Amino acid sequence: MLKRFSRRAFAKIMGAAVLGSPQLSAFGSGLRVSEARRDAGPNYYRFPDGFLWGCATAAYQVEGAATEDGRGPSIWDTFSHTPGKVRNGDTGDTADDHYHRYKEDVGLMKALGLKSYRFSVSWPRIFPQGVGAPNPKGLDFYSRLVDELVAHDIQPFCTLYHWDLPQALQDRGGWESRDTSQAFSDYAGFIAERLSDRVKHFFTINEFGAFVELGYRLGIHAPGLKLPPGRFNQARHYAVLGHGLAVQAIRAKGRPGTKVGLAENMQICVPVIETPEHVAAAVRATREQNAPYMTVIQEGKYTESYLAAAREDAPKFTPEELKTISSPLDFTGINVYTPTYVRADGSPLGYTLVPPPSSYPHMTVSWLNVGPEALYWGPNHLAQIWKVKEIYITENGAASADVPTAEGAVYDTDRVMYLRNYLAHLHRAVSEGVPVRGYFLWSLMDNFEWADGYSSRFGIHYVDYRTQKRTPKLSASFYREIIARNGVA
Ligand code: PNW
C-alpha cells in the first residue's frame, strides 16, 4: 500500500516537472522507465502534426547587392559606412550575396526539410526614397524568391520592416515623425497587394524592443541617436502606430485569407521559482516591462505606471491612435533569446527584476544568457495574459565561436545544447495546449550581425565570406533530425 502510494505521489511530482510527456502514463501502468522510453521512442517530445519548422533571416543581413537594381540607401548603409559604428568596419554591401544566390539558399532549406521560411523585404529596394514610385526590379526579386520557395513546398512568411529604413525618411525625422508611420503603412499595403497571392503570413515590424531602443536611445544601432526621453517615447509611439496602420493596410490590400501579425522581442519574465507568487509576479512584470510595445499593441492602452513614470516625457497620443495600434491581429510572433528573471516582492508593482550574477552562462554575445525556460514562459504569457490564439516563435538561436576543422566541419555542440534545451521547453508549452504553430530558427546561415558585423555567427550553416561557400554545421544536422521526426531529438 505504502509502495503504491509513493509511486503515485512520485508520478504526481514528475507530472509537475515533465508535463504532458507520455512517460507518465507508463509510470501508472507499472512499466520500468527504460521500457517506457523505448515505447515512446522518437515521440518522446513530439510536436503536433503540421507544426511549422522554419528558419529566419533579414534582408540587410543576408542580401548584399546594396546598390543594385535601383535599391536606395537605408539607415544601415549610412550607419555601417560611418567609421567606428560596426566592428571591423563591416558593412552589408555584400553580406551573404543572397540576392544572387537565393536559389542555392532555398536548396539549403530543402535539404533541411524546412516547412517555412521567414525573410524580410528591404523597403528601400521597393521605394528607394521611402515613398513615391515603386521600383519594379526590387519587387521582382521578392517575387522570384517567393516562387522558388513555393516551388519547393516551403511556406513564405514575410517581414516588412527588419530595420532598414530608407535613408530619405530618416532625413525627414525617421520614426520621430508620424509621416514615417504613414509611409510604412503605404509600403506594407503595396507589398501585401503584390505578394499575397502566394504569401499568406505577414509580419509588420521586427523587434521594436531592439531597433527603437538600440537605434534611438542607446545609439548603438542605426540611426545612432541618443534621444532625450520625451522625443524617444514619441518615437516609440510612432513605431507602434506604424505597426497598427500597416495592419489595416495589409487587411485592406491583401487577398482574402491573408494573415497579419508582428515579430517582437518582448521581455520574457520568468519566475525565479515556479510558486504561485513568483508566477503572478512574472505575469505582472511581463505587462509592465513591455508597456510601450507589446502591451499597448495587445491592450490598446499604455499602462498607468508607464505613463506615470514618464511624467511630462510621456508620449502624446489620441484615443483614435490607440485604437489603430491595437488593431486585431491574426497571430503574434515573438523572438526568444534570453529570460528576464523576476521575483515577487511587496513593492507597489509587486515584482522585482533579478539581475543575473556574473557567472551566469551566456553564448558568445554577452547579452545572450542561456535560459531555456524563456521558450516556455514567452508563449505561455501570450496565451494567459492576452488570450493569443495563434503564436509563432519568429526567432530563436545562438551565437557560437564556430571554427571549422581541417576538413571544414563545424561541431557547434554548444548551439545544439542550446537548441535542444530551448525546444524541450517549447514542447512543454505546446503539450499544455499553448497554441504555438511554428518555430523559426535564427538563422539559416551566418550573416551580418548588426553592430557586431561578421564577427558573431548565428547560422546553422557556416559561411566563408571570402568564397561565399555555405557548409552545414552540426546544428544543421540536428535541426534536420528534429524536423524529420517532428520532435526533439
Ligand atoms: C535579433 N539584444 O536582434 C534580430 O531580430 C536579428 O536581426 C538578430 O540578428 C538576432 O536577434 C541575433 O542578435 C537582437 O541586445 C539584437 O538583446 C540585440 C538584442 C536582441 C535581439
Side-chain angles (χ1 to χ4, degrees), residues 60 62-74 77 81 92-102 122-129 134-142 144 468:
Y60 191 71
V62 298
E63 285 177 3
T67 54
E68 228 162 295
D69 290 340
R71 178 184 178 277
S74 80
D77 296 281
H81 280 271
D93 288 359
T94 308
D96 291 331
D97 196 30
H98 173 73
Y99 192 76
H100 299 113
R101 294 167 196 260
Y102 70 94
S122 161
W123 184 351
R125 274 196 203 286
I126 311 297
F127 293 101
Q129 299 301 311
N135 168 31
K137 284 189 173 166
L139 183 68
D140 186 57
F141 168 68
Y142 297 104
R144 284 182 282 121
Q468 290 294 347

Side-chain angles (χ1 to χ4, degrees), residues 276-415:
E277 306 90 284
H278 293 308
V279 169
V283 166
R284 284 194 292 275
T286 297
R287 280 191 68 247
E288 291 302 341
Q289 294 296 119
N290 296 291
Y293 307 122
M294 188 63 96
T295 305
V296 70
I297 286 169
Q298 299 286 351
E299 300 185 11
K301 54 181 191 296
Y302 289 113
T303 68
E304 278 170 30
S305 46
Y306 172 61
L307 294 177
R311 300 200 309 205
E312 72 275 13
D313 292 320
K316 313 274 178 289
F317 57 87
T318 65
E320 186 61 30
E321 287 173 347
L322 291 183
K323 224 173 139 210
T324 302
I325 290 167
S326 58
S327 300
L329 301 176
D330 296 299
F331 57 84
T332 295
I334 46 173
N335 297 352
V336 179
Y337 288 96
T338 205
T340 300
Y341 287 111
V342 163
R343 65 179 172 83
D345 72 357
S347 69
L349 288 175
Y351 71 88
T352 300
L353 304 185
V354 180
S358 63
S359 57
Y360 197 97
H362 62 82
M363 302 302 286
T364 56
V365 284
S366 59
W367 57 266
L368 217 180
N369 286 339
V370 179
E373 323 86 279
L375 209 36
Y376 169 74
W377 284 103
N380 200 52
H381 285 319
L382 289 179
Q384 301 293 333
I385 303 174
W386 297 300
K387 313 294 171 225
V388 175
K389 300 280 185 300
E390 187 171 337
I391 297 170
Y392 292 93
I393 306 305
T394 34
E395 288 180 24
N396 172 239
S400 305
D402 299 320
V403 179
T405 63
E407 294 74 37
V410 178
Y411 293 106
D412 52 343
T413 50
D414 56 346
R415 182 177 285 108

Side-chain angles (χ1 to χ4, degrees), residues 9-67:
F10 180 56
K12 216 169 147 195
I13 294 163
M14 288 297 288
V18 201
L19 285 147
S21 66
Q23 189 190 22
L24 281 182
S25 50
F27 269 109
S29 69
L31 283 177
R32 293 207 328 272
V33 179
S34 56
E35 288 172 63
R37 290 227 174 162
R38 207 164 47 234
D39 275 7
N43 295 340
Y44 184 60
Y45 275 150
R46 221 188 114 92
F47 279 70
D49 289 346
F51 191 83
L52 280 184
W53 297 102
C55 276
T57 64
Y60 191 71
Q61 296 181 271
V62 298
E63 285 177 3
T67 54

